[in-house]
Amino acid sequence: MEIKAILILSAMLFGISFFMHTFIIPNDQSYNRLDFMPALALLYVLTQTLLISSVNAFRLMIAVLYLGYAIMRLLTLKGVNLSAVATGLIQTAVFFGSIQIASKLPIFWLNTINILLGAAFLVLSILQLRQSDKKIDRDLSEINVIGFIALLILSLSSGYYMLNVGTGVFCLHQLAELVIYTKHDRILRTSVSTRLKELENRFERTVEFEAKKRTSVMADKIEHIREKSQKDPMTKALNRHGLTSEINNLIRDPAIKIFSIAIFDIDHFKSINDTKGHIVGDECLKFLSYTFMISNRKTDMLGRYGGDEFILIMPHVNAPAALEICERMRGLIQSKSVPKFTISLGIATYPYDGRAFTSLLEVADKGLYKAKEGGRNRVAYDGNVFIKNETK
């Protein structure tokens, strides 16, 4: 291949490098961004009649190029960033201004200058590599060795064949540099894309977590408000609204085939308030509620219907079982209460004694009245289910 063809290839590679570092990799190192000077210089050498040969003009171009690179490397090590545009313009002016001088300069001195500038650039590249942990800097330093070898071949050779080899090796150096920049740009873009995806996923997880957290907090607040609206503040049992709601829910639930309720109150409660005071009366109500809530199943529900009247809801419990439960609770209150008091209870069972809350309450009320008439401190049933010895 003729030297002219190799120089055209080198000019094309410089042009591609200029385009890539200007438009594709704009955040690249400043001394590699604008390679328009060597591209313009080679085109000028190939199209104009000069006082020096095209090979010597190529050597001069490389010398000016490495001079600019070395200056920018040195300034970078000193912490100064020189504009690539300014450097490229200075290089262009130096090249075209030195063509006349180079035509009169012995080729030995031009070669010597080339080797010294190439060596200076290589040394500065190695020094900068020590201050950087980037893989691209390490790869470029290795490629710069190839460029320096091409420079040595061009500077130390005079034969046509070796000059071809030198320019060819320099083109190989340019091509390898382009490959490295393309490879690392692709890796960088992939890394940025992956990082952005990770940040996006982390953001989505954070938003989802915050949404769930706030939803949970709102649900807790709603549940707290709901419980507060359905709970008696003193006894912590359901209030009348809560009782009505729970019993109606059981009636509407197709899975609930049977349940029982028991209505009860404290015997002679007015006398307790009158003789021992309302504070003691309130303590009796609290003890009654607490005892019923901890001594029965978790599925059972206790509510304060009004005053000293309470209702116990017992899902899946028939009338005989309800009598046994209520009798156990009656004895427990009688033996454990302080001050001593007793209770009377009346029960009703769904659906035998009614299919609505009012009808069930009416039957349970009749049982309570029957217990009061029988002497208090007992459980009574006045419903539709036949039970032997239901009153104690």
Side-chain angles (χ1 to χ4, degrees), residues 266-278 280-281 284 308:
I266 298 175
D267 297 328
H268 305 294
F269 183 65
K270 186 177 183 303
S271 176
I272 295 175
N273 280 333
D274 292 342
T275 58
K276 297 181 180 180
H278 288 281
V280 175
C284 292
D308 64 324

Side-chain angles (χ1 to χ4, degrees), residues 226-232 235-252 259-265 289 292-293 299-315 356-358 360-361 364:
R226 187 189 69 83
E227 287 186 0
K228 193 173 181 179
S229 68
Q230 294 187 350
K231 290 288 183 70
D232 176 60
T235 62
K236 307 305 179 185
L238 294 171
N239 58 23
R240 179 176 291 204
H241 173 71
L243 273 171
T244 305
S245 177
E246 292 295 343
I247 292 176
N248 287 332
N249 287 340
L250 289 175
I251 292 172
R252 288 191 296 265
F259 68 89
S260 296
I261 66 170
I263 185 169
F264 56 95
D265 61 14
S289 175
F292 265 80
M293 284 192 288
T299 54
D300 295 342
M301 291 165 280
L302 179 70
R304 185 182 181 187
Y305 193 63
D308 64 324
E309 283 189 332
F310 290 83
I311 292 178
L312 178 65
I313 306 171
M314 298 166 280
F357 174 54
T358 54
L360 289 172
L361 186 61

Side-chain angles (χ1 to χ4, degrees), residues 1-11 42 45-47 54-55 160 164 167:
M1 184 182 292
E2 294 183 359
I3 289 180
K4 185 175 181 180
I6 299 176
L7 295 181
I8 292 174
L9 175 61
S10 179
L42 285 174
V45 168
L46 296 171
T47 57
S54 59
V55 175
Y160 183 80
N164 274 348
T167 52

Side-chain angles (χ1 to χ4, degrees), residues 3 10-11 33 52 72 128 162 167 211 222 225 228 230 248 265 283 303 306 309 363 379 385 391:
I3 289 180
S10 179
R33 273 182 207 153
I52 60 176
M72 294 197 72
Q128 187 179 21
M162 292 305 295
T167 52
I222 292 172
I225 294 172
K228 193 173 181 179
Q230 294 187 350
N248 287 332
D265 61 14
E283 291 300 320
E309 283 189 332
V363 173
V379 184
V385 179
T391 305

Side-chain angles (χ1 to χ4, degrees), residues 121-366:
F121 175 68
L122 186 61
V123 170
L124 291 172
S125 297
I126 295 173
L127 291 176
Q128 187 179 21
L129 178 62
R130 292 181 179 180
Q131 298 180 357
S132 174
D133 57 353
K134 296 180 180 179
K135 189 176 185 301
I136 187 172
D137 289 335
R138 183 168 64 253
D139 293 344
L140 288 174
S141 295
E142 295 171 356
I143 294 301
N144 288 334
V145 175
I146 298 177
F148 183 66
I149 292 173
L151 188 60
L152 288 176
I153 295 174
L154 282 171
S155 300
L156 299 177
S157 303
S158 57
Y160 183 80
Y161 175 75
M162 292 305 295
L163 292 176
N164 274 348
V165 171
T167 52
V169 172
F170 191 83
C171 287
L172 179 63
H173 157 70
Q174 290 178 268
L175 184 61
E177 192 178 61
L178 287 173
V179 169
I180 287 175
Y181 277 116
T182 304
K183 170 188 171 184
H184 283 278
D185 179 62
R186 178 176 56 81
I187 293 173
L188 178 61
R189 292 177 187 272
T190 303
S191 175
V192 170
S193 176
T194 303
R195 180 60 177 164
L196 287 175
K197 188 66 177 177
E198 290 177 355
L199 291 174
E200 182 181 349
N201 291 336
R202 185 181 299 177
F203 176 75
E204 290 178 355
R205 289 195 299 269
T206 302
V207 170
E208 183 180 359
F209 172 77
E210 287 296 327
K212 288 182 177 179
K213 182 179 178 181
R214 295 193 179 190
T215 301
S216 177
V217 171
M218 288 297 297
D220 290 342
K221 288 183 178 179
I222 292 172
E223 180 64 21
H224 175 71
I225 294 172
R226 187 189 69 83
E227 287 186 0
K228 193 173 181 179
S229 68
Q230 294 187 350
K231 290 288 183 70
D232 176 60
M234 184 177 70
T235 62
K236 307 305 179 185
L238 294 171
N239 58 23
R240 179 176 291 204
H241 173 71
L243 273 171
T244 305
S245 177
E246 292 295 343
I247 292 176
N248 287 332
N249 287 340
L250 289 175
I251 292 172
R252 288 191 296 265
D253 190 348
I256 304 297
K257 304 301 182 183
I258 189 172
F259 68 89
S260 296
I261 66 170
I263 185 169
F264 56 95
D265 61 14
I266 298 175
D267 297 328
H268 305 294
F269 183 65
K270 186 177 183 303
S271 176
I272 295 175
N273 280 333
D274 292 342
T275 58
K276 297 181 180 180
H278 288 281
I279 294 178
V280 175
D282 290 346
E283 291 300 320
C284 292
L285 293 176
K286 292 178 184 178
F287 174 80
L288 178 62
S289 175
Y290 176 77
T291 304
F292 265 80
M293 284 192 288
I294 67 169
S295 302
N296 288 298
R297 302 172 305 167
K298 291 183 179 180
T299 54
D300 295 342
M301 291 165 280
L302 179 70
R304 185 182 181 187
Y305 193 63
D308 64 324
E309 283 189 332
F310 290 83
I311 292 178
L312 178 65
I313 306 171
M314 298 166 280
H316 308 291
V317 172
N318 57 20
L323 282 170
E324 292 181 6
I325 292 171
C326 290
E327 177 58 28
R328 175 175 60 83
M329 294 306 302
R330 183 201 64 78
L332 190 62
I333 294 297
Q334 183 180 15
S335 61
K336 298 292 185 181
S337 60
V338 178
K340 292 292 183 181
F341 64 87
T342 59
I343 59 174
S344 299
L345 306 94
I347 67 169
T349 300
Y350 172 89
Y352 306 110
D353 299 323
R355 292 181 174 272
F357 174 54
T358 54
S359 55
L360 289 172
L361 186 61
E362 184 179 352
V363 173
D365 242 348
K366 288 180 180 180

